[in-house]
Amino acid sequence: MSAQPMKLPGPDHPITIDPSSSRVVVTAGGRVIADSRRALTLKEASYPVVQYIPREDVNLSLVERTDHHSYCPYKGEASYFSILPGGERSKNAIWTYEDPYGAVEEIAGYFAFYPDRVDSIEVLPA
């Protein structure tokens, strides 16, 4: 089995991670899935900004780990969770890097949500 390539963020592919000064609330299936005042805001190259929420601020009784995985050469291997109240639409709606590469180690264990697989991701005043 060949090793996955690893790349470092740089001028051609910048990644910044900053503590959010906002409250982030995620809903799916009419339920609050996550509510955090401790989110991290990740900006990567030209991709949309992603809010990463600490695992402790996610209602784990409403999510279920799946066997799906993906790979990012800048962050490492991502594991996925489905949101139970969200139904089929929310399958693999959450990703997390449990052991990310060193350049983005701050997101270890944080959860991120696909906006099109949840009802809303609200970024509110803290």
Side-chain angles (χ1 to χ4, degrees):
M1 182 175 185
S2 63
Q4 295 279 18
M6 183 180 88
K7 296 181 178 180
L8 293 174
D12 60 327
H13 193 99
I15 296 177
T16 61
I17 302 169
D18 295 302
S20 174
S21 59
S22 302
R23 176 181 176 204
V24 180
V25 180
V26 181
T27 59
R31 306 276 303 269
V32 173
I33 307 303
D35 188 342
S36 182
R37 288 180 171 82
R38 302 178 301 143
L40 297 175
T41 301
L42 185 141
K43 297 176 186 172
E44 178 177 1
S46 61
Y47 298 120
V49 171
V50 176
Q51 300 296 323
Y52 278 81
I53 298 174
R55 183 182 197 102
E56 298 81 14
D57 294 343
V58 176
N59 185 340
L60 296 177
S61 70
L62 300 178
V63 304
E64 180 176 74
R65 182 183 289 273
T66 72
D67 59 3
H68 184 68
H69 295 274
S70 66
Y71 180 76
C72 170
Y74 294 94
K75 296 186 286 292
E77 183 176 306
S79 299
Y80 286 76
F81 288 76
S82 292
I83 301 170
L84 302 174
E88 190 63 27
R89 172 180 172 228
S90 293
K91 184 176 181 182
N92 295 317
I94 303 168
W95 74 91
T96 182
Y97 292 92
E98 293 168 328
D99 187 23
Y101 292 146
V104 294
E105 65 188 357
E106 301 97 322
I107 64 170
Y110 280 61
F111 283 15
F113 296 79
Y114 285 108
D116 62 338
R117 297 185 191 179
V118 298
D119 296 342
S120 65
I121 301 174
E122 295 180 279
V123 180
L124 307 166

